[in-house]
Every structure is written in structure tokens, then in C-alpha cells.
């Protein structure tokens, strides 16, 4: 079945760039997503990328997709304390369940002042 | 502004009770999902629905059922709540590519 892996923790200083990495196994993934979760809250959709794209930029966020290596990354420029949260990578699978989202376990980003 | 609304933020129920978690979306999305989130285990899919009255089991359906009588509403039912169902429950709706989540229901079974 599909699998999505992320490192569990990342700590950065305020003002630096953060890079959160994700790998996935389903070679027929069509969309890949990044979500943000603040304590006690639901998941907020940050951005998504279609599998035929290499890069997508949205303000401080840059998503890079290496389809050959099945590697996705999220770069947050000029990281702020308000960016401290758990970040989830997710993908939509293939076949009859291609609308189902499969998530990684999340990366806890801590931004130190 | 898109909206997925879960009926409760916090819920405390007794072992053996039948529990209903309600989720409503206002985006006319075809697909709706129920996940549970536990520390160290991430988000696990319980059930999803791709149309009214249609449902499919996710990865951990045991002990749960669902109902989708109207497009905008997707209910998760715990037939007989147990302490191992204490968790954060998250509802989502999607019309690809976008998928949005509700604020979550933290359920405690005592």
C-alpha cells in the first residue's frame, strides 16, 4: 500500500529558512499536499502540487517535487514563531481510491527566537 | 470561505455508549472522510464516502460505522464506545485537488 515518510522534528531560528522533507512510495500519486496543524486545531491546507510539476511557489512557501526519487519538500522562507506547528505531507493514491489522502506522521517545526 | 464544521470540539462519553460525531460541509464536495489522530501514529483513515449513501472502509474501520444521507453531512458512529477509541477525530471534505478539514473533535471515553 501507499506509504508516506517524514522526519519527526525540525528546529530552526527565527528568520532562517526551514526545509521539511517527505518521501512517498506510490509512483502513481497525482497530487501531493502540505498541511499545517497548530495545537488543538484541525489541519489547514497550505499548498498542493500536481505530480507533473517540479516546483510551486506561494509567497514564503516553496514546494519542490522530485518524482523520480519520490521526494517532496516544503521550504518556508524567513521562518517566524507563528510557523511553529506540525506539518503533514500527504498524497492521493491511485486506482479506485484516488481521492483518498494518505498522510505522513507529521514534522514538528519549532522556531526559536 | 470554505467550511467544514464538526459538531463538537470536546466530547466525554462512557464506555458502551453509542456516540455520534457529525460533520457538515458547505462546498458541495463529493468526497468526505473521517480520520483519527493519535500521538506517534499520525492520521489514520477510518471511513470515506464518495457520494450520498456510498461509503468505503479505510484502514481502521473496526468499531465504527458511518452514514451519509445528504451530500453535505457525514456522520461517524461509534456503536459501543471503548476506551481505546479515545482520540482526536478529524473530518475532511474534498473535490480534487483541494481537501479541507474541520477543527477536530477530541473524544474521551471513560
Amino acid at each position: 500500500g501507499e506509504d508516506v515518510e517524514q522526519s519527526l522534528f525540525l528546529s530552526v531560528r527565527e528568520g532562517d529558512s526551514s526545509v521539511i522533507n517527505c518521501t512517498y512510495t506510490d509512483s502513481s500519486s497525482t497530487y501531493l499536499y502540505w498541511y499545517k496543524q497548530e495545537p488543538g486545531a484541525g489541519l489547514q491546507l497550505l499548498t498542493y502540487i500536481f505530480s507533473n510539476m517540479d516546483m510551486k511557489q506561494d509567497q514564503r512557501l516553496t514546494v519542490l517535487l522530485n518524482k523520480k526519487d519520490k521526494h517532496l519538500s516544503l521550504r518556508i522562507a524567513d521562518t517566524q514563531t507563528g510557523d511553529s506547528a506540525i506539518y503533514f505531507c500527504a498524497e492521493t493514491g491511485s486506482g479506485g481510491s484516488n481521492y483518498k489522502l494518505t498522510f505522513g506522521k507529521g514534522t514538528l517545526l519549532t522556531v526559536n527566537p | 470561505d470554505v467550511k467544514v464544521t464538526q459538531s463538537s470540539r470536546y466530547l466525554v462519553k462512557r464506555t458502551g455508549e453509542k456516540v455520534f460525531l457529525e460533520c457538515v460541509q458547505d462546498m458541495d464536495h463529493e468526497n468526505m472522510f473521517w480520520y483519527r489522530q493519535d500521538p506517534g501514529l499520525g492520521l489514520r483513515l477510518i471511513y470515506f464516502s464518495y457520494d450520498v449513501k456510498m461509503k468505503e472502509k479505510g484502514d481502521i474501520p473496526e468499531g465504527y460505522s458511518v452514514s451519509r444521507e445528504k451530500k453535505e453531512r457525514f456522520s461517524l458512529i461509534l456503536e459501543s464506545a471503548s476506551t481505546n477509541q479515545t482520540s482526536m477525530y478529524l473530518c475532511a471534505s474534498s473535490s480534487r485537488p483541494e481537501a479541507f478539514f474541520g477543527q477536530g473533535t477530541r473524544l474521551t471515553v471513560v
Side-chain angles (χ1 to χ4, degrees):
Chain A
E2 308 92 355
D3 198 16
V4 178
E5 299 281 342
Q6 303 176 236
S7 52
L8 295 181
F9 303 98
L10 177 65
S11 181
V12 301
R13 290 176 63 171
E14 191 174 17
D16 288 350
S17 291
S18 308
V19 180
I20 303 171
N21 294 300
C22 170
T23 57
Y24 59 98
T25 58
D26 189 349
S27 57
S28 58
S29 294
T30 49
Y31 290 98
L32 296 118
Y33 300 80
W34 284 105
Y35 284 86
K36 176 184 180 182
Q37 186 182 36
E38 296 181 4
L43 272 67
Q44 174 193 353
L45 176 62
L46 288 177
T47 188
Y48 59 87
I49 188 168
F50 188 49
S51 58
N52 68 352
M53 297 170 64
D54 297 323
M55 186 180 91
K56 182 178 180 181
Q57 188 148 6
D58 184 0
Q59 298 182 343
R60 291 191 297 124
L61 305 179
T62 303
V63 178
L64 295 178
L65 175 59
N66 182 327
K67 198 171 180 184
K68 175 177 165 288
D69 293 339
K70 300 191 191 70
H71 183 268
L72 182 75
S73 67
L74 174 71
R75 178 176 179 269
I76 305 172
D78 187 26
T79 314
Q80 303 298 308
T81 54
D83 295 322
S84 293
I86 301 175
Y87 290 80
F88 289 93
C89 170
E91 57 96 22
T92 51
S94 60
S97 298
N98 62 3
Y99 38 79
K100 183 178 78 167
L101 280 163
T102 300
F103 286 84
K105 288 187 168 52
T107 300
L108 175 63
L109 173 65
T110 302
V111 182
N112 301 304
Chain B
D1 200 17
V2 297
K3 220 44 174 185
V4 180
T5 303
Q6 295 183 229
S7 52
S8 305
R9 288 295 305 272
Y10 302 95
L11 216 48
V12 179
K13 295 292 181 180
R14 294 193 180 278
T15 302
E17 276 193 76
K18 190 168 186 176
V19 181
F20 294 85
L21 302 183
E22 307 285 346
C23 177
V24 176
Q25 52 102 354
D26 65 359
M27 295 165 283
D28 201 35
H29 284 170
E30 305 89 19
N31 309 311
M32 295 187 75
F33 309 83
W34 276 106
Y35 290 84
R36 65 177 281 177
Q37 182 180 18
D38 300 288
L41 297 176
L43 275 81
R44 294 180 291 166
L45 181 64
I46 305 171
Y47 267 98
F48 60 100
S49 168
Y50 50 89
D51 201 352
V52 176
K53 297 191 189 294
M54 305 302 287
K55 59 187 179 185
E56 281 198 31
K57 293 179 181 178
D59 302 315
I60 51 162
E62 297 78 17
Y64 303 93
S65 62
V66 289
S67 171
R68 193 162 180 208
E69 297 295 319
K70 293 185 178 180
K71 193 174 186 181
E72 67 269 19
R73 186 180 296 270
F74 191 35
S75 303
L76 179 69
I77 303 154
L78 286 66
E79 298 290 344
S80 176
S82 65
T83 54
N84 64 12
Q85 293 178 310
T86 291
S87 187
M88 170 75 112
Y89 289 87
L90 293 162
C91 173
S93 76
S94 82
S95 181
R96 294 180 78 208
E98 295 183 329
F100 298 100
F101 280 79
Q103 77 277 30
T105 296
R106 180 155 307 277
L107 172 68
T108 303
V109 182
V110 297

